[in-house]
Amino acid sequence: MHNKWYWTFKYILMGPFLRVWNRPEIEGVENIPAKGSALLASSHQSVMDSFFFPLMCPRQITFPAKSEYFTTPGVVGRAQSWFFSTVGQVPVNRNEAGAAEAVQKAAQEVFDRGDLFGIYPEGTRSPDGRIYRGRTGVARIALATGEKIIPVGMIGSREANPIGSWLLRPRKVRMKVGEPIDPIAYVKEQGLDPDSQQAVRALTDHVMSRLVELTGYDYVDMYASEVKKSLEAGNGYPRGAEPSFS
């Protein structure tokens, strides 16, 4: 591992506690290459996804982190900024023009080092545990670089760390790593031009379908951010996104 703080948090400061408290397990870790670059695409259930999966992954992962983690004022904000900076994560302002290009540039720098770049295709945490429509950044990065996409399904992390909670609950967390997806080969098999928007959308949807298969969670063909916005405004779930309680 390149980053000493990353190693320290993983093996000394946080990792041992998480292994006992949440008993994390990983399946399919052999799908992560022992060396060389790759793009990890994970479902997103909780903030702790960025701790549980790196804990179980044998190699260091670089994630793009929202810029608020680096700019929030106060004691908690300074602690967040110090932590994410020291472990080598990349700040990205999602609301700025050019955010997608910034993420792609950061990914390329990681690939040039022969390292792993992690991304959450949903763009934000699931509001209810289901898998939501993927943003196309994962496909754009993969098609532009030719890097294989390794899907990662997080299971149980929402129960361990629900949205809005500060205290980690002693719930078991699992993760499943799927077989790599060759982006260029996949879109060509679909009869699509790798440079087309249709290819970008088709590849993104394929990644999300793989995440559904890995986790067993239901799929919602709507962006999680739109659902969250509706819920926060007090308007409930948008039509077509209502959870089924049957």
Side-chain angles (χ1 to χ4, degrees), residues 3 19 39 46 56-57 75 79 111 139 144 153 203 219 221 239 242:
N3 189 300
R19 286 181 183 275
L39 177 59
S46 78
M56 303 306 290
C57 180
V75 175
F111 298 150
L203 178 57
Y219 176 73
D221 193 20
R239 190 170 184 177
E242 304 92 338

Side-chain angles (χ1 to χ4, degrees), residues 45-243:
Q45 298 281 305
S46 78
V47 169
M48 291 301 295
D49 292 337
S50 297
F51 295 82
F52 288 126
F53 184 56
L55 174 64
M56 303 306 290
C57 180
R59 297 178 57 195
Q60 182 172 326
I61 309 168
T62 298
F63 285 97
K66 61 182 181 180
S67 59
E68 292 92 324
Y69 289 151
F70 297 83
T71 59
T72 301
V75 175
V76 173
R78 288 195 295 273
Q80 282 183 337
S81 176
W82 176 82
F83 172 78
F84 285 101
S85 297
T86 55
V87 297
Q89 306 313 294
V90 181
V92 174
N93 188 335
R94 301 174 183 172
N95 300 317
E96 264 187 6
E101 290 78 6
V103 172
Q104 186 161 325
K105 180 182 178 182
Q108 186 62 66
E109 291 175 354
V110 172
F111 298 150
D112 289 344
R113 299 198 304 262
D115 290 338
L116 303 177
F117 189 78
I119 193 169
Y120 297 115
E122 291 163 284
T124 186
R125 288 169 289 169
S126 168
D128 50 32
R130 296 179 293 173
I131 303 293
Y132 279 79
R133 193 170 199 243
R135 300 285 181 175
T136 57
V138 61
R140 294 181 187 280
I141 292 171
L143 290 170
T145 63
E147 292 290 343
K148 290 184 177 180
I149 304 171
I150 301 174
V152 180
M154 299 299 302
I155 304 168
S157 58
R158 179 172 176 269
E159 286 71 30
N161 176 219
I163 291 178
S165 67
W166 283 89
L167 296 177
L168 190 62
R169 301 176 183 180
R171 303 290 192 271
K172 186 171 184 59
V173 175
R174 296 186 296 130
M175 50 216 81
K176 292 184 178 181
V177 183
E179 294 182 358
I181 300 167
D182 185 320
I184 305 297
Y186 175 77
V187 297
K188 286 186 175 180
E189 286 170 3
Q190 308 307 306
L192 299 171
D193 179 354
D195 295 325
S196 69
Q197 178 59 37
Q198 291 87 347
V200 169
R201 185 72 256 172
L203 178 57
T204 302
D205 291 344
H206 179 58
V207 171
M208 303 317 293
S209 71
R210 292 286 296 276
L211 294 180
V212 169
E213 292 173 6
L214 289 168
T215 61
Y217 294 147
D218 291 337
Y219 176 73
V220 183
D221 193 20
M222 191 174 295
Y223 292 123
S225 59
E226 295 176 356
V227 173
K228 282 186 173 180
K229 185 177 180 180
S230 180
L231 293 172
E232 290 168 0
N235 298 323
Y237 279 90
R239 190 170 184 177
E242 304 92 338

